[in-house]
Amino acid sequence: MALTTLKEMAGTRRAKFGTLVIELASPGIGYILKAAGTQFVFLDMEHSGFGFDTVKQVLRYMEAADLPTVVRPPSRHYHHIARALDMGAEGILLPMVSSGEEAARIVAHAKYPPHGHRGVALGVAHDRYAPGAPVTKLRAANRRVAVFLIVETRQGVENVEAIAATEGVDGIWIGHSDLSTSLGVPGQLDHPDVIAAEERVARACTKNKKSFGCLVMDVESGIAAYHKGYDMICYSGDVWLMRETLRHGIDDLKVALAGRRKG
C-alpha cells in the first residue's frame, strides 16, 4: 500500500525516500520531484533564505503534485512553527532540539487544544481554504500534522531518550554536520564518538517506535543509513544534484571530445 502522508510514513520502518529543496522554487518543482520517484520533500528555511511567501507558494506546487512536504522553520519559536503550519506544511522538522522539555514545547506549538496551544485560523491555506465545522477541523489537523525533531548537539544526544519518549513526536532526525561539530570532530562522521551518538539515537527511536531520518549525499551513504536503522532517507538536494549532474556531464564531454576539435 502506498504511503501518502507523513504520518503514515512515520508509522512504518519501511524505507521512504525524499529530497531537500533549498534553492529551486520553480512552479514545476513538485512535478519534477514526483516524476523522479520522490516520496516526500524536505523544504528548508533554516539555511535557504526562503521566506514565508516563497514557502507558501512552494507548498502549493507540492500539493499540486501530491507530494507530502515537511518544512524546517528557521527556529523553534512558536511564530515560526505556527506560520509554517498555517501556510500548509504537512509536517515540521525542528532544528537543534536538546531536551524533552523543548520537544514537548514544540509539540504544543504545533497542535491545537486540547493537545497544544496553536492559534486557530480556519479557511486558510492549511485546510485548503474550505469551510467546515471548527471542532472537526481542529481534530483533523491534530491528527494530520507530523512533528519531527533534529538531534544535532551533544546535549540532544544526552537527552534523546526523553526527546523520543515525548508524546506527539513522530520521528527524530540526526543532523550529522552539526552533531559532529558539537562533538568536536567536524565532518568526521566515522569518528567513534559520532557513531556512538548515532547508535544511541537509533536505540531511542526503536524503543519509542519513532521514525528515524537523515540527509545523505550519495547512494552508498543512503544504503548504509538504512542498515543503521534509518527509515526516512532524504537523498541530497536540488542545488547539489544539479551541480554534480552537470559537472559530471561536462567533464565526460570534455574527456570524450578531447583532441577532436573541428578544423
Side-chain angles (χ1 to χ4, degrees):
M1 183 177 68
L3 302 172
T4 60
T5 70
L6 291 173
K7 276 282 191 182
E8 290 173 344
M9 292 180 189
T12 173
R13 300 291 77 80
R14 288 157 51 189
K16 286 80 62 175
F17 304 106
T19 195
L20 174 73
V21 172
I22 195 170
E23 185 72 23
L24 304 180
S26 162
I29 190 67
Y31 286 109
I32 293 167
L33 299 181
K34 186 76 169 186
T38 301
Q39 293 171 279
F40 70 90
V41 173
F42 171 7
L43 180 58
D44 185 49
M45 296 184 74
E46 184 184 17
H47 299 298
S48 68
F50 288 154
F52 280 101
D53 284 346
T54 300
V55 166
K56 188 173 182 179
Q57 292 172 355
V58 174
L59 288 170
R60 300 294 81 74
Y61 306 153
M62 300 305 175
E63 284 176 1
D66 198 23
L67 262 180
T69 303
V70 57
V71 172
R72 175 163 62 181
S75 78
R76 300 184 304 277
H77 293 306
Y78 168 78
H79 63 282
H80 286 150
I81 294 170
R83 287 191 74 189
L85 292 172
D86 282 349
M87 298 302 97
E90 187 175 309
I92 49 170
L93 178 63
L94 278 301
M96 298 283 183
V97 179
S98 297
S99 70
E101 291 78 8
E102 285 183 1
R105 189 158 52 247
I106 288 164
V107 171
H109 290 345
K111 301 290 185 177
Y112 291 117
H115 303 298
H117 51 239
R118 178 180 166 192
V120 178
L122 302 177
V124 294
H126 75 87
D127 60 359
R128 309 244 176 140
Y129 307 97
V135 171
T136 301
K137 287 196 170 200
L138 299 186
R139 288 174 179 168
N142 279 346
R143 288 193 300 267
R144 180 180 66 251
V145 168
V147 177
F148 300 96
L149 309 177
I150 309 178
V151 169
E152 49 192 342
T153 63
R154 184 186 297 274
Q155 185 181 4
V157 174
E158 291 171 351
N159 293 318
V160 71
E161 290 81 12
I163 295 170
T166 302
E167 185 175 358
V169 172
D170 295 286
I172 294 176
W173 288 42
I174 286 183
H176 287 90
S177 295
D178 280 305
L179 178 58
S180 62
T181 300
S182 178
L183 294 173
V185 288
Q188 298 180 46
L189 305 190
D190 58 352
H191 190 280
D193 290 350
V194 177
I195 293 172
E198 189 174 38
E199 290 174 346
R200 183 170 176 177
V201 177
R203 288 194 299 271
C205 287
T206 299
K207 179 181 178 181
N208 292 280
K209 297 181 172 59
K210 305 297 186 183
S211 180
F212 190 29
C214 69
L215 171 69
V216 300
M217 298 307 292
D218 54 60
V219 172
E220 292 75 16
S221 298
I223 294 170
Y226 179 73
H227 289 304
K228 291 177 182 178
Y230 292 94
D231 58 90
M232 292 195 77
I233 298 171
C234 184
Y235 175 65
S236 195
D238 52 8
V239 63
W240 307 304
L241 290 167
M242 180 178 179
R243 182 193 67 199
E244 292 306 299
T245 300
L246 184 59
R247 183 175 65 84
H248 286 306
I250 289 176
D251 286 348
D252 290 347
L253 282 168
K254 288 177 178 178
V255 171
L257 300 177
R260 300 186 187 182
R261 295 182 63 183
K262 293 184 179 180

